[in-house]
Amino acid sequence: MRFLVIIFLFCVGLSANAQADSTFTNLKEAIAAGLGVKVLILKKQKLTEFPKEITQLTNLVILDLSKNKITQIPKEIGNLTALKELNLSRNKVDSLPVELGQLRQLDKLILHHNSFRSLPDSFGTLVNLTYLDADFTNISTIPTAMGGCRKMAFFNAQHSYISKDTRLEIRKILPHDCIQLFPLTCKCN
């Protein structure tokens, strides 16, 4: 009987650990864990494509695909509606899908050091977005629809193709308390 109690407690402990540890750094393990995955960190994996399997992890809250060689983001990224933080920095992304606008829980979007030329109009629906880093990209303006991002507190596009006149227009679009707009320094990770 004592042996059964020990095994039961061991199994309960394993189950609790599995539920508490929802962070993964291996794609195969994350896919196997399915909806239990909350955080997926795949930076520096030499990925050349966005793994579409990730879009099935619909409970994902944080996704870090930084420092890879990804060029395209699939439209299925719109399935990740629980996502609060997305890091696609230091890739080779040349365009952003409009489906990013479906990520309405998104709070932090890190896109610096990519080659895309514009932000989709759908970014205006990212009502919870407080942080957007598009530094060292090829953007020259932002969509006026981004006026819907009323919680924006940080927007960085200092080393982009945004002219001084356009910067003044952007200041009119984004919240007035977005005091860190175009910061003087970049603390890139």
Side-chain angles (χ1 to χ4, degrees):
M1 179 68 172
R2 184 176 180 189
F3 177 73
L4 290 175
V5 170
I6 291 171
I7 290 179
F8 173 75
L9 291 174
F10 178 75
C11 290
V12 168
L14 284 178
S15 175
N17 283 342
Q19 292 173 355
D21 188 16
S22 58
T23 300
F24 291 82
T25 57
N26 179 289
L27 182 58
K28 288 181 183 178
E29 291 175 7
I31 298 305
L35 298 178
V37 180
K38 300 285 188 206
V39 178
L40 181 58
I41 302 170
L42 296 176
K43 67 181 184 179
K44 294 186 181 179
Q45 299 290 310
K46 299 181 182 173
L47 299 172
T48 56
E49 294 182 2
F50 186 107
K52 280 196 179 179
E53 302 93 332
I54 291 174
T55 63
Q56 298 168 6
L57 305 173
T58 54
N59 289 333
L60 202 57
V61 175
I62 298 173
L63 176 59
D64 185 346
L65 291 169
S66 64
K67 300 181 181 178
N68 283 293
K69 297 176 189 217
I70 298 169
T71 58
Q72 297 290 319
I73 307 304
K75 64 181 182 178
E76 290 84 1
I77 196 164
N79 296 342
L80 302 177
T81 56
L83 207 59
K84 292 186 177 185
E85 183 176 324
L86 177 59
N87 188 342
L88 296 170
S89 66
R90 296 189 180 270
N91 275 285
K92 298 182 178 201
V93 177
D94 57 18
S95 66
L96 298 170
V98 297
E99 288 79 8
L100 279 171
Q102 295 171 10
L103 308 180
R104 295 204 173 85
Q105 298 303 312
L106 204 60
D107 172 64
K108 188 174 188 179
L109 183 55
I110 307 166
L111 300 169
H112 65 80
H113 290 87
N114 277 289
S115 59
F116 58 86
R117 295 178 180 270
S118 63
L119 302 174
D121 285 342
S122 64
F123 271 32
T125 63
L126 301 176
V127 294
N128 289 304
L129 193 64
T130 62
Y131 184 102
L132 174 58
D133 190 347
D135 201 18
F136 290 98
T137 63
N138 294 324
I139 64 171
S140 58
T141 190
I142 67 167
T144 55
M146 282 189 65
C149 300
R150 303 310 313 156
K151 294 182 180 179
M152 182 81 70
F154 179 91
F155 173 70
N156 184 10
Q158 182 181 8
H159 298 99
S160 64
Y161 292 93
I162 297 177
S163 69
K164 285 185 180 183
D165 291 339
T166 304
R167 288 180 188 210
L168 293 173
E169 291 302 313
I170 290 172
R171 286 186 185 278
K172 293 176 186 174
I173 294 170
L174 294 177
H176 294 291
D177 58 349
C178 189
I179 57 171
Q180 295 183 355
L181 185 65
F182 306 112
L184 299 175
T185 59
C186 173
K187 296 179 181 175
C188 303
N189 33 343

